[in-house]
Structures are given as C-alpha cells and as structure tokens.
Amino acid sequence: MFAYIIRRLLFVVPTLFVIILLNFVFVQFAPGGPVEQTIAQLQGTAVDATARVSGTSQGETVGGGDQGQQQVGAQGGGASKYRGARGLDPELIAEIEKLYGFDKPAHERFWIMLKNYLRFDFGESFFRDKTVIELLIEKLPVSISLGLWTTLLTYLISIPLGVRKAVRDGSNFDLWTSAVIIIGTAIPGFLFAILLVVLFAGGSYFDIFPLRGIVSPNWDELSPVGKVLDYFWHMALPITSMVIGSFAVLTMLTKNSFLDEINKQYVQTARSKGLTENKVLYGHVFRNGMLLIIAGFPSAFISIFFTGSLLTEIIFSLDGIGLLGFEAAINRDYPIVFGTLYMFTLLGLIMGIIGDLAYHVVDPRIDFEAQEV
C-alpha cells in the first residue's frame, strides 16, 4: 500500500501541471481582462485610474492573459487593440500592462507562476489589495463551516436512511421516504434556501434566524457557550438548505448498493447458518455495501465544500471561497482564479488518495499494489 501511495503522490505533480496549463491557455482568449477593466475605469475616472497605474508593479505574480496578450500600437496617437483604449497615450497603456505583468510573453508569465506556486505564493489580487493567501485564509472559515457540517449531516442522515430503505424495500416506509427523496432531487438546493429565507429569516413570515454572516457582531463578547449557540444559530438555515439538496442522491445510492448486496448468494448462505439479521447486515453486507459510498466521498466532499456552496453563500450573504472564486472569474482577477484553482485541484487529488485509503480500511482484501495508477 505504501508504494501505491507514493505513486499517487507523484502523479499529483503532472496532473496539477496539465490542469494549470490548460486553464492558463484558455484564459488567454478570454475577453475583458484586467487591462481592459483598468482602461474602462480610466475613461470614466481619470484621476483614480492614473493613481492606480502609478502603484507598484505586480508582474511577478500574474498568471493570466488579456485577449491573448494583445500588443499596443505605438502609432496613430495611441491606437490600440484593447477595447476602449483608442486615443489613450500608448505609454500609459504600456504602464497598465506592466502593472499587471502583461508586458511579458505568455510563456514567461506561466513559468514565473509555476515557480511561485511551488512556494504556495499565489501573488496579490488585482482589485482587492490583498494577497491571495490572505484572502483564502479570510474566507476559509465560511467554506469550511458549510462544507464540513453539510458533509457530516448528509452522511449521518443518508447512510442510515438508505440502509433502512434497503432492508424494508417495498414497504410503506420505503414508499413515502422515496417520495420525499424525489422532491429533494427535483428541487435545486438554492430554492430550498430561498424558501427558508422567506419562512424563517424575516422574508414574509417569521424572523427567527439571521440572514448575514456566520457569527454576530458582538461574538467576541459572548461566553463560550454563547459563542457556540450563536454560531449554530447563524449556520442553521444555510446548512439545512445544503443538506436538503445533497442527501437525496446519497440516500438512493446507499439503498441501491445495499440492496444489491442483500440479494447476493453469500447473504443467503449467512442466513441459512442461523445468523441474526443484524449480524448479516452489519457483519457481512455493510462492508461491501459501503465500498461504493466511500468511492464517491472525495468528489461529494469537494462538490459540497466549494461548488455546492456558491449559491448558498450568495443567498445568505456568506463571504466564502465559493463566492470569492466566482467574483474573481467575473472580474478577471487572475491571481485569485489560478490560486483557488490550484488549491481546489490539489485538495481534490489528495481527497482521492484518502478515498483509496478508506477503501482499504473498509475492505483490506482490496489490493492497490497490484494496480496501475
């Protein structure tokens, strides 16, 4: 198993490289980069934009492109291929490019980015006046809170419910819980979030739960017990909406996995030997039935932790990593875009290795040593 883990860890490096390279290439063709945005600000507010240009160059931290690193023409009194730049001084345009590092060729920017990423140096945001690491640390508590609690509650609800549905397949319990699950599958999680806001957060009916942040402004003044209660008071609605949107698929996956195992020959043999149903279920079926659930854990965790929380963060005014990445993509804040992409990819690869380890713990008969990565 040790050799397999080493191979997987070594495989992380080329995977990260290819993903970052592909996204870097794609970004070169994305319109409306930071240079064009600064030009637009300059056209509207010349004093503020000029002051911004006079700042410190960030050329060593940039990772993206701006319409394929279009070159500024020096003739024609400031003629430029950047949208909105016609008529501006070419020297000013060149200074804007230097500010964001776009005065360097694409391959040089990519090489600088890779060297910095080896040190986990993702540079400084173009528009937030903070480093990417500072922003990630600042937003992590929200995303960790949403991801961990949602994953924990989803598994605590879905696995027992799925096992129960498999054992009582075809019963009234199975039928009415399936109806609830179909509703949970059909309705997106963000609609449940809006419904919870309308019902319980001062929308139209009750004003029981807060609608902003994960703690109250006076959180530091509360007692330890008060801090815990205040935290869960703020997180109740966001987590509930995400659990409702997540548990349905996992419940049906658990049911089908256990139902498939229950109908196998070895279960009939165990019953014929006089073993109790609990002994058969949790001594034989559980280990095999959980393999498929464990296999899907890494992707489920990443989905809940990052992409699944985006709309929830917007609806409940929670400033987390999902919202940060979305706003960075919209604003073409490339250091944040590539920094978060790098961290998400790295975490996803590590979670895949952890999933394989959990596979082996649940069923030691699985031999990864004999498999190629």
Side-chain angles (χ1 to χ4, degrees):
M1 192 66 183
F2 179 76
Y4 172 78
I5 294 175
I6 295 299
R7 293 202 307 269
R8 287 295 301 270
L9 289 175
L10 292 176
F11 190 67
V12 167
V13 177
T15 303
L16 279 174
F17 176 82
V18 171
I19 291 176
I20 294 296
L21 175 62
L22 290 176
N23 282 271
F24 182 88
V25 172
F26 292 154
V27 162
Q28 305 310 304
F29 302 99
V35 173
E36 289 188 353
Q37 293 194 32
T38 302
I39 291 172
Q41 293 179 6
L42 181 64
Q43 298 284 32
T45 55
V47 175
D48 293 340
T50 303
R52 184 178 178 184
V53 171
S54 63
T56 304
S57 173
Q58 299 174 2
E60 293 300 309
T61 60
V62 68
D66 197 273
Q67 287 210 354
Q69 183 61 24
Q70 296 169 331
Q71 298 299 317
V72 179
Q75 294 136 4
S80 171
K81 293 183 180 180
Y82 290 111
R83 290 182 300 180
R86 187 173 300 276
L88 294 180
D89 186 353
E91 293 183 359
L92 178 60
I93 302 299
E95 192 174 352
I96 296 175
E97 290 184 317
K98 184 177 181 180
L99 172 66
Y100 295 116
F102 297 136
D103 58 324
K104 300 179 177 66
H107 69 276
E108 185 176 342
R109 297 199 310 274
F110 182 69
W111 176 244
I112 292 173
M113 184 181 69
L114 287 182
K115 290 192 296 184
N116 290 337
Y117 278 21
L118 291 176
R119 307 190 303 267
F120 287 89
D121 176 10
F122 305 124
E124 185 174 341
S125 168
F126 287 158
F127 307 116
R128 291 175 179 260
D129 295 325
K130 288 184 178 180
T131 65
V132 176
I133 288 293
E134 289 175 340
L135 288 169
L136 290 175
I137 294 175
E138 179 183 315
K139 312 301 182 184
L140 267 178
V142 172
S143 295
I144 288 177
S145 296
L146 289 173
L148 289 182
W149 286 116
T150 300
T151 303
L152 177 62
L153 291 176
T154 299
Y155 273 76
L156 287 177
I157 293 172
S158 299
I159 292 177
L161 179 60
V163 172
R164 187 66 173 172
K165 285 175 64 61
V167 172
R168 301 184 60 180
D169 182 46
S171 65
N172 289 333
F173 172 82
D174 182 40
L175 293 178
W176 71 260
T177 52
S178 294
V180 174
I181 289 172
I182 290 173
I183 295 174
T185 305
I187 302 178
F190 73 90
L191 290 183
F192 283 114
I194 295 174
L195 177 63
L196 292 175
V197 169
V198 172
L199 293 177
F200 303 111
S204 299
Y205 296 92
F206 305 102
D207 190 5
I208 301 175
F209 296 96
L211 189 57
R212 184 179 298 275
I214 61 174
V215 293
S216 299
N218 64 334
W219 189 78
D220 291 333
E221 303 173 3
L222 301 176
S223 64
V225 175
K227 290 181 178 180
V228 173
L229 294 177
D230 181 75
Y231 168 76
F232 283 108
W233 181 49
H234 281 76
M235 298 302 297
L237 294 187
I239 292 175
T240 299
S241 67
M242 292 184 66
V243 169
I244 292 175
S246 303
F247 88 101
V249 174
L250 182 60
T251 299
M252 294 307 299
L253 179 64
T254 303
K255 176 193 174 181
N256 294 333
S257 178
F258 275 78
L259 198 59
D260 183 60
E261 292 296 325
I262 288 173
N263 293 326
K264 289 184 176 179
Q265 183 61 44
Y266 75 90
V267 175
Q268 305 300 326
T269 303
R271 286 172 176 167
S272 67
K273 291 181 178 180
L275 297 180
T276 63
E277 283 298 315
N278 284 338
K279 182 65 176 178
V280 172
L281 183 62
Y282 296 104
H284 294 77
V285 176
F286 189 81
R287 183 177 64 181
N288 296 327
M290 284 298 294
L291 291 178
L292 188 59
I293 312 302
I294 292 174
F297 174 78
S299 60
F301 178 80
I302 296 298
S303 176
I304 292 173
F305 192 68
F306 296 112
T307 58
S309 64
L310 173 58
L311 290 175
T312 301
E313 291 178 8
I314 294 174
I315 293 171
F316 291 98
S317 301
L318 301 175
D319 194 9
I321 292 181
L323 184 58
L324 174 68
F326 174 76
E327 292 178 346
I330 295 298
N331 296 325
R332 303 294 191 267
D333 198 339
Y334 295 130
I336 295 180
V337 171
F338 284 103
T340 53
L341 172 68
Y342 181 86
M343 292 302 299
F344 294 171
T345 305
L346 180 60
L347 181 59
L349 293 171
I350 293 175
M351 289 302 299
I353 297 174
I354 293 175
D356 288 345
L357 291 176
Y359 245 149
H360 184 71
V361 170
V362 173
D363 191 350
R365 295 172 300 175
I366 297 177
D367 183 17
F368 289 106
E369 295 286 355
Q371 300 180 15
E372 294 293 334
V373 177

